[in-house]
Amino acid sequence: MKFAFKTLDDIDYVGKRILLRVDMNCSVDPETKQITDISRIEAIQETLKELSRSKVVLMAHQGSPGSDDFISLEQHTKVLKNLGFNASFVDDIFGEKAKKAISQLKDGEILVLQNVRYFEGELKKAPPQEVAQEQIVQELYPLFDFFVNDAFGAAHRSQASIVGFTTVLPSVAGRLVEKEISTLTAVTATDQHPWTLVLGGSKVEDKVATLDKLLATNRVDNAILGGLVGTLFLIANGKVSETYSKPIKGYESAIETARNLLSKYPDKIILPEDAAVECEDERLNCTFNEMGNLPFLDIGPRTIDKYVKIIKESAVVFANGPMGYFEKDTFAEGTSKVLSAIAECKGITVVGGGHMGAMAKKMSLDDKITHISTGGGATINFLIGKKLDLVVALEAAAKRMDE
Ligand code: 3PG
Ligand code: MG
């Protein structure tokens, strides 16, 4: 596939100083804080291998302030070492410690900087020229020859480490970004129906906004909802009490959109019909009326049966975000049965996002699914035809490089 941005094929990177932004944001056990799945780290290996004769500085995020998975990148560095890379970690992003370690780097070595979201300026979302003014960009860019962006999972985030460097350094895409974009382009070229979206997990504000756009395109026939996104819609239509809004970050702003979507697309939005709650440390399947105020942690059996049937009969399925609290085995049932149905579906199937992708691999379903994308939000944005911020920025950088 021919891209309007440049790739590793267009630069001479041997012996050069490369700043490489990746997305190795992994699933993390909320209690032990240990990484539970390394797929996103494995996914950047091709780029790292290709840059094995350069000095590579890795920049990445993990979680975000306030989330359970907001941890240091020290563990990620160990994983890279176990995969055979000559990687070391510095507990700094752009201070003296980081600069010193960067200056001592030799060809074939990889230096992992600390979680970029430990720096507040990284959280700002603005156009490339604006985020380029952030300290992280201004301090780091003079130390490099090239910026390589392989962070497909964060391609929809217009933040300093994703788009800022593209305005000040010759910038190209890494191999994972290339692979994701060409595969997703091929997968979405189809016009087949029924087209089913399976949407779960958290980040409800993002997801409700994309659902709004996606339903407006007429591409989606069924939007099957679960996880916190599903709970939000159940509150919106009065099936579940507002007390369940408590764990939902972004509830206030998303609930109105959810109500509007329900009245606009009553036949397309498909909601859970029953629940699984946690009662004395056990899974209890029940109706919404029987839930009391017990934690609502998965979709119930009737819902699972209904979702499985719709998925199996679909021509295209795209899934992002788990159906429940899959970190606990007893509440992983909804997500795992939905994934099995996706694997059995004869149509085109795409599973996106760190959590769902990891579980599909754990269940050895990866070769029965058309494409497991490392992107969640990024992939959904791609599907609604929104040009990814990372791509826009790299295309502008390519033009500058040709001038
Ligand atoms: C993801 O997990 O979807 C990506 O790593 C982006 O993370 P974010 O949604 O926290 O920006
Ligand atoms: Mg995520």
Side-chain angles (χ1 to χ4, degrees):
M1 186 175 168
K2 186 86 193 89
F3 303 106
F5 51 79
K6 295 198 185 285
T7 70
L8 290 174
D9 295 331
D10 301 300
I11 59 168
D12 179 13
Y13 46 75
V14 176
K16 300 284 170 43
R17 302 165 303 162
I18 311 287
L19 180 61
L20 173 60
R21 174 55 157 113
V22 295
D23 186 334
M24 49 181 183
N25 187 26
C26 297
S27 296
V28 169
D29 184 306
E31 267 138 46
T32 64
K33 303 289 177 198
Q34 293 298 304
I35 292 176
T36 54
D37 168 72
I38 62 165
S39 318
R40 274 183 168 162
I41 305 181
E42 289 172 330
I44 58 165
Q45 289 186 93
E46 202 179 325
T47 298
L48 287 178
K49 281 183 190 154
E50 205 160 329
L51 294 173
S52 65
R53 286 179 292 158
S54 310
K55 304 163 188 69
V56 176
V57 173
L58 266 192
M59 197 168 55
H61 74 278
Q62 172 63 56
S64 40
S67 69
D68 275 346
D69 57 351
F70 189 45
I71 60 168
S72 154
L73 297 186
E74 215 171 342
Q75 274 187 66
H76 306 63
T77 312
K78 282 198 191 118
V79 174
L80 285 166
K81 279 190 197 154
N82 291 340
L83 290 171
F85 294 101
N86 187 1
S88 59
F89 170 74
V90 59
D91 183 12
D92 190 14
I93 307 170
F94 52 75
E96 285 315 311
K97 233 161 86 183
K99 285 181 176 165
K100 189 168 169 218
I102 294 170
S103 72
Q104 291 171 345
L105 210 57
K106 299 193 182 59
D107 289 345
E109 291 179 350
I110 297 169
L111 176 72
V112 181
L113 301 177
Q114 184 52 287
N115 185 344
V116 286
R117 290 189 183 168
Y118 283 13
F119 167 59
E120 214 181 317
E122 172 66 11
L123 305 173
K124 176 171 166 179
K125 292 185 185 116
Q129 306 288 352
E130 203 179 321
V131 289
Q133 301 313 314
E134 289 297 332
Q135 212 184 346
I136 183 172
V137 180
Q138 293 302 320
E139 300 277 350
L140 286 179
Y141 93 83
L143 313 179
F144 294 94
D145 300 303
F146 294 108
F147 176 63
V148 178
N149 200 334
D150 214 14
F152 182 76
H156 57 314
R157 302 291 187 212
S158 197
Q159 293 170 324
S161 72
I162 299 289
V163 299
F165 290 95
T166 62
T167 68
V168 284
L169 278 172
S171 303
V172 307
R175 295 302 184 206
L176 177 64
V177 163
E178 268 187 74
K179 191 173 116 195
E180 287 276 10
I181 292 180
S182 34
T183 312
L184 289 170
T185 304
V187 163
T188 52
T190 164
D191 207 13
Q192 296 175 56
H193 290 272
W195 204 110
T196 298
L197 173 75
V198 182
L199 201 59
S202 51
K203 295 185 199 168
V204 295
E205 270 179 292
D206 278 9
K207 282 176 185 154
V208 169
T210 24
L211 189 59
D212 191 4
K213 293 197 189 109
L214 197 49
L215 287 167
T217 64
N218 272 332
R219 170 173 265 175
V220 180
D221 302 300
N222 313 300
I224 289 179
L225 307 185
L228 289 180
V229 185
T231 307
L232 177 91
F233 277 79
L234 290 171
I235 297 171
N237 78 357
K239 290 263 164 39
V240 159
S241 125
E242 255 201 331
T243 52
Y244 283 102
S245 70
K246 236 182 158 186
I248 305 178
K249 205 171 145 200
Y251 168 82
E252 300 294 339
S253 69
I255 190 83
E256 260 323 295
T257 320
R259 282 201 187 101
N260 289 337
L261 289 177
L262 281 170
S263 63
K264 222 159 140 191
Y265 307 102
D267 302 330
K268 291 191 174 180
I269 297 174
I270 301 165
L271 299 181
E273 289 178 356
D274 58 350
V277 292
E278 186 170 48
C279 181
E280 291 168 5
D281 273 342
E282 305 242 351
R283 179 187 175 108
L284 180 72
N285 294 323
C286 61
T287 66
F288 297 135
N289 290 335
E290 292 163 347
M291 288 197 326
N293 276 327
L294 295 169
F296 177 14
L297 299 184
D298 197 10
I299 52 177
R302 256 186 30 223
T303 310
I304 294 176
D305 285 349
K306 183 170 83 168
Y307 286 7
V308 163
K309 189 164 179 285
I310 297 173
I311 290 167
K312 284 191 188 165
E313 288 167 359
S314 297
V316 183
V317 182
F318 176 76
N320 175 221
M323 295 290 101
Y325 192 60
F326 75 103
E327 288 93 340
K328 269 197 181 167
D329 285 347
T330 34
F331 297 101
E333 193 180 326
T335 308
S336 67
K337 290 205 165 142
V338 157
L339 277 169
S340 299
I342 293 173
E344 278 176 53
C345 169
K346 301 269 182 295
I348 296 167
T349 51
V350 180
V351 170
H355 298 321
M356 287 284 255
M359 190 140 164
K361 283 191 183 153
K362 203 169 129 196
M363 293 169 68
S364 305
L365 298 175
D366 29 338
D367 57 351
K368 298 186 187 77
I369 292 169
T370 313
H371 178 53
I372 296 190
S373 174
T374 54
T379 305
I380 299 191
N381 274 281
F382 187 95
L383 293 185
I384 61 175
K386 185 172 179 289
K387 212 155 173 191
L388 299 171
D389 295 292
L390 172 153
V391 171
V392 175
L394 285 180
E395 287 181 0
K399 280 203 185 121
R400 276 191 296 271
M401 287 160 79
D402 287 336
E403 270 167 14

